[in-house]
Amino acid sequence: MVKIDLITGFLGAGKTTFIKNYARYLLDQGERICIIENDYGAVNIDMVMLQDLLSENCNLEMIVGGDGKEAHRRRFRTKLISMGMSGYTRVIIEPSGIYDVDEFFDVLYDEPLDRWYEIGSVISLVDAGAVFDLDDLRRYVFMSEIANAGKVVISKVSKDTDCDLIIQKVNEIMTEFGGRTFDAGKDFVAKNYDDYTAGDYEALRTCGYRHASYVKLPIEDKQFTPLFYFDPKMSRQELNKITKHLFESTKAGSVIRVKGFVDTGDGSQVEINATAEKTVVNDVVSSRNVLIIIGEKLNKEYINDIMKDKCSVVSL
């Protein structure tokens, strides 16, 4: 049977960066893997970011959503069925930052998938810099996405990070919604990615998952909605200024993440990956320029007005 891993984490937790490192470890162990970008949005930036993993033993697939959870679930199931005879030893699922983990388990317990796949590891990422700033519904979404984890990875760790305090906060949020707490000694990996050992990755590859029980809260389909902007073109200075304004403006709604690829002129292109705490802009070469803005109750009209002269197509 093919093992299938789920990598979860709230928006901006760093799932794609983690998957790059984890996938390279798996490939070094002789695994033949496929990474499925499983998203509700119309465009998947993370798939572009993973292109350098493509090889004879590593494939990338994408599921496009946007027309409801049930349609998305059917596409997920169909994708796994179509891959059933492809010879992979392991499949990695990277869902959107807002994801109902029950979909993962429900689909894999269906026939014939339950005869082809077995759940490997559920690995959940927690952003060291953002866990203290979650409020209201975001705390619930955060909890629901890590509740089944066999291991919790604390991401974006620096020498000043108080990991014990983060673990305490994670367990407080779990308790708040009736979820099971994690064991501080064995359930967490808390170090900079550069310091990971083969032993760390092997512990993640074999960590399994746990059953979770908590009171489910309804989440409106449009509560967290991504906005897409095609062919964005602006200078680095303009990009940084607009990004800063989006995070600070109450008119824009509650912006959680800005990411994508932007034409900065003179044949140059950058990749931006920004949260309220940190903005990273690097020179890249990509085949597509597209910017995605993700948040809660975004004011599309206001943001479109900001972006209308910076791109060819604003979010519809």
Side-chain angles (χ1 to χ4, degrees), residues 81-151:
I81 289 174
S82 70
M83 291 168 46
M85 299 298 178
S86 299
Y88 300 115
T89 61
R90 204 167 196 103
V91 173
I92 301 171
I93 308 294
E94 180 183 8
S96 67
I98 306 297
Y99 181 68
D100 184 353
V101 177
D102 285 347
E103 174 185 309
F104 175 75
F105 291 100
D106 291 345
V107 169
L108 288 175
Y109 290 150
D110 283 348
E111 291 188 348
L113 297 178
D114 61 343
R115 292 185 278 111
W116 299 348
Y117 296 92
E118 62 177 324
I119 299 172
S121 296
V122 176
I123 303 167
S124 297
L125 273 68
V126 172
D127 184 341
V131 68
F132 298 100
D133 299 323
L134 300 171
D135 54 22
D136 302 328
L137 185 60
R138 295 186 197 182
R139 287 200 307 277
Y140 168 76
V141 174
F142 168 84
M143 179 280 305
S144 70
E145 294 200 357
I146 72 171
N148 293 98
K151 287 281 188 184

Side-chain angles (χ1 to χ4, degrees), residues 228-243:
F228 299 89
Y229 298 93
F230 295 91
D231 302 318
K233 184 173 182 179
M234 66 192 87
S235 67
R236 277 187 184 236
Q237 183 178 6
E238 289 177 304
L239 178 60
N240 284 321
K241 182 179 179 181
I242 288 174
T243 301

Side-chain angles (χ1 to χ4, degrees), residues 7-18 94 97 124-130 142 145-146 153-157 193 256-257 273 275:
I7 314 297
T8 69
F10 193 62
L11 292 163
K15 296 189 295 297
T16 305
T17 302
F18 170 80
E94 180 183 8
S124 297
L125 273 68
V126 172
D127 184 341
F142 168 84
E145 294 200 357
I146 72 171
V153 171
I154 299 179
S155 63
K156 305 179 184 179
V157 172
Y193 289 154
I256 300 173
R257 187 94 180 271
N273 196 338
T275 63

Side-chain angles (χ1 to χ4, degrees), residues 4 19 34-39 44 50 59-63 76 79-80 83 91-95 117:
I4 185 165
I19 286 174
C34 181
I35 302 169
I36 298 180
E37 290 295 321
N38 188 19
D39 208 336
N44 197 295
L50 293 170
N59 189 27
L60 302 178
E61 296 282 349
M62 181 173 69
I63 300 170
F76 181 33
K79 177 67 71 175
L80 290 177
M83 291 168 46
V91 173
I92 301 171
I93 308 294
E94 180 183 8
Y117 296 92

Side-chain angles (χ1 to χ4, degrees), residues 58-311:
C58 182
N59 189 27
L60 302 178
E61 296 282 349
M62 181 173 69
I63 300 170
V64 177
D67 54 353
K69 292 182 179 179
E70 287 305 315
H72 182 267
R73 183 177 303 208
R74 287 195 298 272
R75 290 194 184 100
F76 181 33
R77 185 176 186 277
T78 301
K79 177 67 71 175
L80 290 177
I81 289 174
S82 70
M83 291 168 46
M85 299 298 178
S86 299
Y88 300 115
T89 61
R90 204 167 196 103
V91 173
I92 301 171
I93 308 294
E94 180 183 8
S96 67
I98 306 297
Y99 181 68
D100 184 353
V101 177
D102 285 347
E103 174 185 309
F104 175 75
F105 291 100
D106 291 345
V107 169
L108 288 175
Y109 290 150
D110 283 348
E111 291 188 348
L113 297 178
D114 61 343
R115 292 185 278 111
W116 299 348
Y117 296 92
E118 62 177 324
I119 299 172
S121 296
V122 176
I123 303 167
S124 297
L125 273 68
V126 172
D127 184 341
V131 68
F132 298 100
D133 299 323
L134 300 171
D135 54 22
D136 302 328
L137 185 60
R138 295 186 197 182
R139 287 200 307 277
Y140 168 76
V141 174
F142 168 84
M143 179 280 305
S144 70
E145 294 200 357
I146 72 171
N148 293 98
K151 287 281 188 184
V152 178
V153 171
I154 299 179
S155 63
K156 305 179 184 179
V157 172
S158 70
K159 63 179 181 179
D160 299 321
T161 303
D162 187 339
C163 291
D164 290 337
L165 192 60
I166 293 169
I167 291 169
Q168 179 182 333
K169 185 62 176 179
V170 168
N171 281 332
E172 284 179 5
I173 296 174
M174 297 302 299
T175 302
E176 178 183 351
F177 294 98
R180 289 170 52 200
T181 58
F182 293 95
D183 186 296
K186 68 177 184 179
D187 291 338
F188 291 86
V189 180
K191 57 174 72 174
N192 188 285
Y193 289 154
D194 292 339
D195 297 326
Y196 273 45
T197 65
D200 291 324
Y201 285 117
E202 188 60 24
L204 291 165
R205 181 169 76 156
T206 59
C207 72
Y209 65 99
R210 66 180 196 168
H211 295 285
S213 177
Y214 53 87
V215 177
K216 296 201 72 170
L217 300 179
I219 299 177
E220 299 176 14
D221 286 347
K222 296 184 178 180
Q223 185 83 27
F224 296 91
T225 303
L227 303 180
F228 299 89
Y229 298 93
F230 295 91
D231 302 318
K233 184 173 182 179
M234 66 192 87
S235 67
R236 277 187 184 236
Q237 183 178 6
E238 289 177 304
L239 178 60
N240 284 321
K241 182 179 179 181
I242 288 174
T243 301
K244 183 174 185 292
H245 174 73
L246 289 173
F247 283 116
E248 294 177 350
S249 172
T250 56
K251 293 182 180 179
S254 184
V255 176
I256 300 173
R257 187 94 180 271
V258 177
K259 62 180 181 178
F261 300 92
V262 177
D263 181 348
T264 52
D266 299 323
S268 299
Q269 185 186 39
V270 297
E271 174 188 336
I272 182 169
N273 196 338
T275 63
E277 293 75 31
K278 185 178 182 181
T279 296
V280 177
V281 180
N282 293 316
D283 291 314
V284 293
V285 176
S286 171
S287 60
R288 165 179 272 178
N289 287 306
V290 60
L291 193 67
I292 299 181
I293 299 169
I294 308 169
E296 184 178 0
K297 296 182 178 179
L298 297 180
N299 184 336
K300 182 171 68 174
E301 289 73 22
Y302 179 78
I303 298 174
N304 280 354
D305 191 56
I306 293 173
M307 295 296 300
K308 66 182 180 182
D309 296 326
K310 307 295 183 183
C311 62

